[in-house]
Amino acid sequence: MRIDCPCCGPRALSEFSYGGDATLVRPDLAVNEAAPFAAFVYDRANPRGPHEELWHHIGGCRHWLKVRRDTATHEILSVEPAGRAALLAAAVPGRGA
């Protein structure tokens, strides 16, 4: 499996570290309830088909990437910067995320 890093180009999977499900939303910590946070930490789906994941390019530019991957075939459908890198890319003219 190869991931096409927006900064470094196509790279082997061995350069990346899996960072988890990119669709999860952290619960508001101001709400003093254990159940939503416990669900966020422990409850996980095991989707089959296209799914958004976070990957860290540890062997290259060290950016976090949001990768849309088919979990049945391992085909990479799209790759884009995640988090702060996505915001910075969107702020630079000519480099949309």
Side-chain angles (χ1 to χ4, degrees):
M1 191 165 76
R2 295 178 67 78
I3 296 177
D4 190 4
C5 177
C7 297
C8 306
R11 296 291 192 259
L13 180 63
S14 60
E15 289 191 17
F16 296 87
S17 176
Y18 178 73
D21 185 343
T23 64
L24 296 177
V25 177
R26 184 182 200 92
D28 183 4
L29 297 179
V31 176
N32 194 13
E33 293 181 28
F37 193 72
F40 170 76
V41 173
Y42 296 110
D43 296 346
R44 292 288 185 262
N46 189 12
R48 179 176 174 85
H51 184 63
E52 290 185 355
E53 305 170 331
L54 295 171
W55 287 81
H56 189 200
H57 194 180
I58 57 171
C61 63
R62 306 203 46 88
H63 282 123
W64 280 93
L65 306 173
K66 188 188 308 184
V67 176
R68 185 163 176 81
R69 179 178 70 91
D70 188 315
T71 59
T73 64
H74 298 293
E75 177 185 4
I76 303 293
L77 305 171
S78 66
V79 180
E80 62 185 59
R84 187 166 184 248
L87 295 174
L88 292 173
V92 176
R95 287 186 61 204

